[in-house]
C-alpha cells in the first residue's frame, strides 16, 4: 500500500537518505513553475487539511492576496494537543525533510518569506529531531539566503521553530498567531480571516504539519496521481492514530475511505479479550462519538464520517470496549475542555464548568434524568455561540454521547426530579440536588 | 531574589530576537530561556524579561499565566507529569497517578520537602498510541505500568 507521508524507508530523517530518495527535487520542480501553477495543482489534487476541518489546502492558499506591500507568512501547525492525536510527531521524527520541503513549496506558492513552525512545548524531543533536520537543510543551502545560489532563483525563505508552552487552545489558528506575537493566546474574532489579517496584521496561511508534508509528492507525481488515491472527495492517505482498547495501538497511514472496522480489527489488531466495542470517537476527542453497534460500513474520510454523524477531525480513533464507563469518559473529556477554555467567551468558560459539575454529580450516583436534558441544553447553548470552535468541541461530545447512548446514561441516573425548566439551572446552584 | 540573565542566556536571546519583526514576539522563547536558567518564572524574571523586550511586566505576567509549562513556583528537580486523559485512562493512568501520589506523599502541583520530586496531572501529551505514559522533566516514558514508574522513581531517588 502506498505511503505518502511516512514512507517505509529506513533513516529517512537523515538528509542524505532523503536526498538519495529524490528529496528536494520537488521544490526544484516547483521553482520552475509559477506560484499560481502550484496553487492550481494543489487545488486540483483535492488535498484537504489534516488539522481538523478538512478544508481544501489549495483553496486556502488562493485566498492570499497577490498584490500587497505587506510581508506574508506561513504558520505550520504542530500544536497537536487534541486528545487521541499523536501523528504529527511521527513526521517530525521520521520524515522531517519532507515537511521542510513542503514548507518551501507552500511559501513559494503563497509568497511567504518566513514560516513559523509552531510545535507544542511538551514535544521537546520531537522539536530536537526537527531542529536537527532543519539545521542540516540550512547547511545544505535548501533553506535561507543560500537558496539563491542553490536553486538559482530570487526566492528565499526562512523557517523558524516556535515552541509552545502547554495550552491546547494554541492549536486554534488565530490563537496560534497571538501566541507567536507574544500575547495572551486568545482566539480572534473572525472575520477578518488570516489571509487578510494574520500575523502582525499581515496576510498569513496556517496549515497542519501533515497537510504540508503531502505537498512535495503532489508536485513530484502530479495532482492526477494524488486525486486517484482513496476517496475522490477527500483523496490521499491519512495518518490514523488508533488508541484505547485495541491490541495494537499506533499510527497507521491508510488511504481515505478505509473502513473504520478494518482499521480497528485488521490494522489495530481488534479489541483485547475479543470484547465488543461500546463506543468509538473517530477523529479526536472533540468529534461526536459513534455507537459500537453502528460501525459497519463507515468509511474514514470527511464526507462519509459526516454522513455517519461525526467528523474526521485529526484522524485520532479512540476505541472503547463494552466494559468502559462512558460517564467517566465523558466527565474526563469535559474536564479537559473546562481546563483548556481560554475564558474569553461566557458560554464556553461557564458552560464547560457547569457540564463538568453535572457530570460529576452523575458520576457520584446522584444524577437525575433531568440532568441529561440539562447537559444537552447547556451544550446547545455553547455550540455556535463562541469566538472559536473550542466551544463546539466541548459541546459535541456531551450532546452526542448523551443523545446516542441515552439508554446507557438513563441506567446511571436514578432519581427523577421534576423541576420546571427555569429552575433547572437554579437547582445547580443550591438546594434540591447537592453539588 | 534578584535575577539577571547570564551572558550565555543573553546570547541566546539575541539570536531569538532576529527571528521576529517585533520584540514582544520573542516573549515565549525568552521565557523558555529564563526558565532554563532559573528553574521557574519569578516576579524578578518577569521584570527583567519585560525590560529586555520593552513591554509592560503585566503583559509578561499575562502570558506566563496563560500556559501550564511556565512554572509560577519552584518545582522539584524531577518534575513528574502523569497524563490522565482518556486514552491513558483506558490503560490505567489513574492507578499510576494515585500510586505516584502515595509513593511521594504529595498531591497535584506539590513538591517533596527535599525538593527532589514534584507532581503534575497533565492533559493529553500526544502519546495515546503508547498509553499510559508519564513525562519526567523533558523526557517521555511511554507504555509504562505502576511497577515501571516505581522503579523509575526509585532509581532517581538513588541517583542523588
Ligand atoms: C480548539 C482547537 C484546537 C485546534 N488544534 C489544532 C492542532 O493542534 N493542530 C492543528 O493542525 N490544527 C488544530 N486546529 C485547527 C486549526 O485551527 C486550523 O484549522 C488548522 O491548523 C488548519 O490546517 P489545515 O487546513 O492544514 O488542517 C484546532 C482548532 C481548534 C478550534
Ligand atoms: S470558545 Fe472557549 S476557547 Fe474559544 S475563544 Fe471562546 S472561551 Fe476561548
Amino acid at each position: 500500500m502506498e505511503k505518502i507521508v511516512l514512507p517505509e524507508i529506513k533513516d529517512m530523517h537523515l538528509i542524505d537518505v532523503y536526498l538519495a530518495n529524490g528529496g528536494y527535487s520537488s521544490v526544484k520542480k516547483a521553482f520552475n513553475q509559477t506560484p499560481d501553477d502550484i496553487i492550481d495543482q494543489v487545488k486540483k489534487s483535492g488535498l484537504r487539511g489534516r488539522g481538523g476541518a478538512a478544508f481544501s489546502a489549495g483553496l486556502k492558499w488562493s485566498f492570499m492576496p497577490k498584490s500587497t506591500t505587506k510581508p506574508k507568512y506561513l504558520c505550520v501547525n504542530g500544536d497537536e494537543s487534541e486528545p487521541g492525536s499523536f501523528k504529527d510527531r511521527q513526521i517530525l521524527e521520521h520524515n522531517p525533510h519532507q515537511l521542510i520541503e513542503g514548507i518551501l513549496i507552500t511559501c513559494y506558492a503563497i509568497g511567504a518569506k518566513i514560516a513559523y513552525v509552531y510545535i507544542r512545548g511538551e514535544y521537546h524531543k520531537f522539536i530536537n529531531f526537527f531542529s536537527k533536520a532543519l539545521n542540516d537543510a540550512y547547511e545544505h543551502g535548501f533553506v535561507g539566503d543560500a537558496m539563491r545560489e542553490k536553486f538559482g532563483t530570487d526566492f528565499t525563505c526562512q523557517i523558524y521553530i516556535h515552541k509552545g508552552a502547554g495550552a491546547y487552545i494554541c492549536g486554534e489558528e488565530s490563537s496560534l498567531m497571538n501566541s507567536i506575537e507574544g500575547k495572551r493566546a486568545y482566539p480572534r474574532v473572525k472575520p477578518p480571516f488570516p489571509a487578510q489579517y494574520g500575523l502582525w496584521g499581515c496576510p498569513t496561511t496556517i496549515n497542519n504539519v501533515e497537510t504540508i508534508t503531502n505537498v512535495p509528492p503532489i508536485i513530484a507525481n502530479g495532482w492526477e496521481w494524488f486525486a486517484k488515491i482513496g476517496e475522490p472527495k477527500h483523496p490521499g492517505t491519512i495518518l490514523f492514530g488508533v488508541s484505547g482498547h485495541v491490541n495494537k495501538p499506533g499510527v497507521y497511514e491508510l488511504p481515505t475511505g478505509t473502513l473504520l472496522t478494518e482499521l480497528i480489527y485488521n490494522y489495530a489488531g481488534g479489541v483485547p479479550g475479543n470484547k465488543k466495542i461500546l463506543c468509538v470517537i473517530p477523529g479526536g476527542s472533540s468529534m461526536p462519538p459513534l455507537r459500537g453497534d453502528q460501525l459497519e460500513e463507515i468509511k474514514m474520510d470527511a464526507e462519509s464520517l459526516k454522513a455517519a454523524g461525526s467528523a474526521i477531525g485529526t484522524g485520532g480513533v479512540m476505541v472503547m470496549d463494552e466494559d468502559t464507563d462512558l460517564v467517566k469518559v465523558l466527565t474526563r473529556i469535559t474536564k479537559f475542555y473546562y481546563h483548556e477554555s481560554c475564558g474569553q467567551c461566557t458560554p464556553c468558560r461557564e458552560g464547560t464548568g457547569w457540564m463538568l459539575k453535572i457530570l460529576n454529580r452523575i458520576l457520584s450516583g446522584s444524577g437525575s434524568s433531568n440532568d441529561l436534558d440539562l447537559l444537552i441544553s447547556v451544550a446547545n447553548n455553547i455550540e455556535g455561540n463562541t469566538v472559536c470552535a473550542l466551544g463546539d468541541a466541548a459541546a459535541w461530545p456531551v450532546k452526542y454521547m448523551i443523545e446516542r447512548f441515552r439508554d446507557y446514561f438513563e441506567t446511571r441516573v436514578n432519581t427523577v426530579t421534576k423541576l420546571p425548566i427555569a429552575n433547572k439551572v437554579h437547582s445547580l446552584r443550591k438546594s434540591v440536588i447537592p453539588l | 531574589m534578584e535575577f539577571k540573565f547570564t551572558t550565555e542566556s543573553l546570547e541566546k536571546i539575541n539570536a531569538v530576537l532576529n527571528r521576529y519583526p517585533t520584540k514582544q514576539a520573542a516573549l515565549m522563547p525568552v521565557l523558555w530561556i529564563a526558565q532554563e536558567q532559573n528553574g521557574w518564572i519569578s516576579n524578578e524574571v518577569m521584570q527583567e524579561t519585560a525590560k529586555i523586550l520593552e513591554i509592560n511586566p503585566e503583559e509578561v505576567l499575562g502570558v506566563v499565566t496563560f500556559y501550564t509549562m511556565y512554572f509560577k513556583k519552584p518545582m522539584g528537580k524531577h518534575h513528574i507529569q502523569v497524563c490522565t486523559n482518556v486514552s491513558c485512562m483506558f490503560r490505567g493512568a489513574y492507578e499510576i497517578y494515585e500510586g505516584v501520589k502515595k509513593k511521594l506523599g504529595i498531591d497535584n502541583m506539590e513538591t517533596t520537602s527535599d525538593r527532589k520530586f514534584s507532581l503534575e496531572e497533565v492533559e493529553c501529551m500526544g502519546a495515546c498510541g503508547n498509553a499510559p505514559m508519564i513525562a519526567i522533566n523533558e523526557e517521555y516514558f511511554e507504555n509504562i505500568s505502576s511497577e515501571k514508574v516505581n522503579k523509575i522513581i526509585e532509581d532517581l531517588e538513588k541517583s542523588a
Side-chain angles (χ1 to χ4, degrees):
Chain A
M1 195 138 345
E2 201 135 26
K3 303 268 194 277
I4 299 171
V5 176
L6 292 176
E8 285 161 333
I9 298 171
K10 196 172 169 286
D11 292 334
M12 195 64 162
H13 64 285
L14 302 173
I15 193 161
D16 292 339
V17 178
Y18 187 66
L19 285 169
N21 285 282
Y24 292 104
S25 58
S26 300
V27 65
K28 279 184 207 133
K29 193 173 168 188
F31 286 164
N32 286 324
Q33 303 167 48
T34 67
D36 281 345
D37 280 343
I38 304 295
I39 295 180
D40 195 48
Q41 287 167 49
V42 173
K43 229 192 244 175
K44 284 190 190 139
S45 76
L47 174 65
R48 294 169 69 166
R50 306 292 196 244
F55 190 81
S56 158
L59 193 58
K60 191 188 272 188
W61 298 358
S62 72
F63 297 154
M64 289 290 273
K66 302 266 179 297
S67 52
T68 171
T69 50
K70 288 182 182 173
K72 298 185 212 172
Y73 296 100
L74 171 70
C75 294
V76 183
N77 195 339
D79 193 50
E80 185 150 84
S81 307
E82 170 95 350
S85 314
F86 48 102
K87 59 177 184 86
D88 294 338
R89 63 180 262 189
Q90 316 286 337
I91 297 171
L92 298 172
E93 179 170 2
H94 299 293
N95 203 4
H97 287 289
Q98 194 172 315
L99 172 59
I100 295 169
E101 190 172 5
I103 294 172
L104 297 172
I105 299 171
T106 310
C107 281
Y108 176 69
I110 63 174
K113 287 193 173 331
I114 295 183
Y116 293 103
V117 184
Y118 194 107
I119 308 179
R120 65 179 300 183
E122 292 85 348
Y123 276 3
H124 306 278
K125 185 167 117 186
F126 305 102
I127 292 175
N128 288 343
F129 286 137
F130 183 67
S131 168
K132 165 89 180 51
L134 188 56
N135 286 341
D136 288 346
Y138 264 103
E139 268 172 27
H140 277 72
F142 292 124
V143 189
D145 297 334
M147 288 171 75
R148 249 186 224 109
E149 213 176 303
K150 187 91 190 171
F151 298 109
T153 54
D154 284 340
F155 179 79
T156 61
C157 168
Q158 306 288 341
I159 302 176
Y160 302 122
I161 299 171
H162 190 94
K163 180 178 175 182
Y168 166 65
I169 192 60
C170 290
E172 196 280 336
E173 54 188 27
S174 59
S175 161
L176 183 145
M177 294 190 294
N178 280 343
S179 179
I180 294 179
E181 288 184 21
K183 300 176 180 155
R184 266 176 95 80
Y186 288 134
R188 301 176 182 173
V189 177
K190 287 170 262 184
F193 291 98
Q196 266 67 51
Y197 195 90
L199 268 179
W200 300 288
C202 302
T204 304
T205 291
I206 299 107
N207 274 123
N208 173 258
V209 163
E210 188 185 342
T211 314
I212 301 270
T213 310
N214 272 291
V215 174
I218 293 176
I219 300 302
N221 304 329
W223 62 267
E224 297 91 342
W225 162 81
F226 188 83
K228 282 195 202 101
I229 302 167
E231 283 294 297
K233 285 193 172 157
H234 186 189
T237 60
I238 288 183
L239 298 183
F240 294 110
V242 191
S243 66
H245 296 133
V246 287
N247 285 312
K248 289 192 289 175
V251 169
Y252 299 93
E253 179 174 359
L254 295 167
T256 54
T258 301
L259 287 178
L260 177 54
T261 43
E262 195 182 329
L263 179 59
I264 296 172
Y265 290 103
N266 292 1
Y267 291 94
V271 184
N274 270 329
K275 286 187 193 165
K276 281 196 213 124
I277 296 175
L278 179 63
C279 175
V280 174
I281 302 180
S285 68
S286 310
M287 300 303 149
L290 298 167
R291 279 183 75 101
D293 53 11
Q294 291 170 9
L295 301 180
E296 297 295 322
E297 304 301 321
I298 293 183
K299 289 199 267 182
M300 293 298 284
D301 62 87
E303 302 304 322
S304 311
L305 275 169
K306 203 165 144 196
S310 190
I312 186 78
T314 58
V317 178
M318 299 154 109
V319 180
M320 293 159 238
D321 72 19
E322 55 189 314
D323 294 330
T324 310
D325 183 342
L326 284 188
V327 179
K328 221 171 170 181
V329 173
L330 191 55
T331 310
R332 188 62 188 84
I333 291 178
T334 303
K335 185 176 167 212
F336 172 76
Y337 293 105
Y338 170 65
H339 181 252
E340 300 298 338
S341 167
C342 82
Q344 208 179 189
C345 340
T346 314
C348 169
R349 181 187 64 236
E350 303 299 321
T352 49
W354 290 356
M355 294 194 301
L356 182 59
K357 278 186 183 173
I358 303 167
L359 279 160
N360 270 326
R361 176 163 68 202
I362 299 175
L363 197 59
S364 72
S366 14
S368 74
S369 212
N370 283 349
D371 280 345
L372 301 178
D373 297 326
L374 184 54
L375 278 169
I376 292 175
S377 142
V378 175
N380 280 334
N381 278 303
I382 300 175
E383 191 184 346
N385 293 326
T386 57
V387 168
C388 89
L390 187 138
D392 303 342
W396 287 348
V398 171
K399 178 171 149 181
Y400 290 106
M401 199 180 272
I402 293 175
E403 273 179 14
R404 291 178 185 167
F405 293 88
R406 185 86 197 197
D407 47 350
Y408 181 98
F409 279 84
E410 287 291 349
T411 64
R412 294 292 295 271
V413 291
N414 33 40
T415 48
V416 181
T417 340
K418 292 222 164 48
L419 294 172
I421 302 252
N423 272 347
K424 280 184 186 167
V425 172
H426 181 70
S427 79
L428 286 176
R429 301 224 178 90
K430 61 183 182 115
S431 76
V432 196
I433 309 156
L435 280 176
Chain B
M1 257 202 294
E2 215 192 318
F3 174 83
K4 283 272 172 257
F5 283 106
T6 59
T7 328
E8 200 194 343
S9 295
L10 286 173
E11 270 169 29
K12 284 189 203 159
I13 291 174
N14 276 332
V16 157
L17 282 168
N18 283 330
R19 297 182 198 157
Y20 305 95
T22 68
K23 283 195 161 180
Q24 180 169 6
L27 179 51
M28 285 186 72
V30 170
L31 286 171
W32 276 119
I33 294 166
Q35 182 151 302
E36 198 178 305
Q37 185 189 319
N38 193 56
W40 63 294
I41 308 292
S42 62
N43 274 338
E44 291 77 11
V45 170
M46 289 190 249
Q47 297 282 355
E48 195 60 24
T49 304
K51 212 157 65 187
I52 285 189
L53 298 179
E54 296 163 17
I55 52 179
N56 294 325
E58 294 77 12
E59 286 178 81
V60 180
L61 176 70
V63 168
V64 170
T65 51
F66 196 85
Y67 299 95
T68 53
M69 293 181 76
Y70 296 130
F71 298 137
K72 289 101 200 158
K73 60 179 183 184
M75 303 309 285
K77 186 176 166 204
H78 308 289
H79 183 56
I80 304 181
Q81 303 137 69
V82 185
C83 170
T84 58
N85 209 302
V86 273
S87 292
C88 279
M89 182 177 96
F90 293 147
R91 292 175 166 254
Y94 274 100
E95 288 75 12
I96 288 170
Y97 179 52
E98 294 304 322
V100 177
K101 268 194 202 168
K102 219 167 121 198
K103 186 158 182 75
L104 297 175
I106 51 174
D107 212 326
N108 191 26
M109 291 312 276
E110 289 181 356
T111 307
T112 53
S113 52
D114 60 3
R115 300 236 147 262
K116 251 189 188 168
F117 296 98
S118 49
L119 174 65
E120 183 177 0
E121 178 185 6
V122 292
E123 293 296 352
C124 182
M125 301 276 270
C128 322
N130 302 324
M133 69 86 69
I134 63 164
I136 301 182
N137 299 339
E138 301 192 346
E139 200 183 341
Y140 278 25
F141 295 83
E142 302 177 77
N143 286 315
I144 46 139
S145 59
S146 294
E147 295 75 53
K148 282 189 199 160
V149 173
N150 281 340
K151 174 88 175 49
I152 294 167
I153 293 177
E154 277 155 22
D155 287 349
L156 286 174
E157 263 167 353
K158 278 184 227 137
S159 74

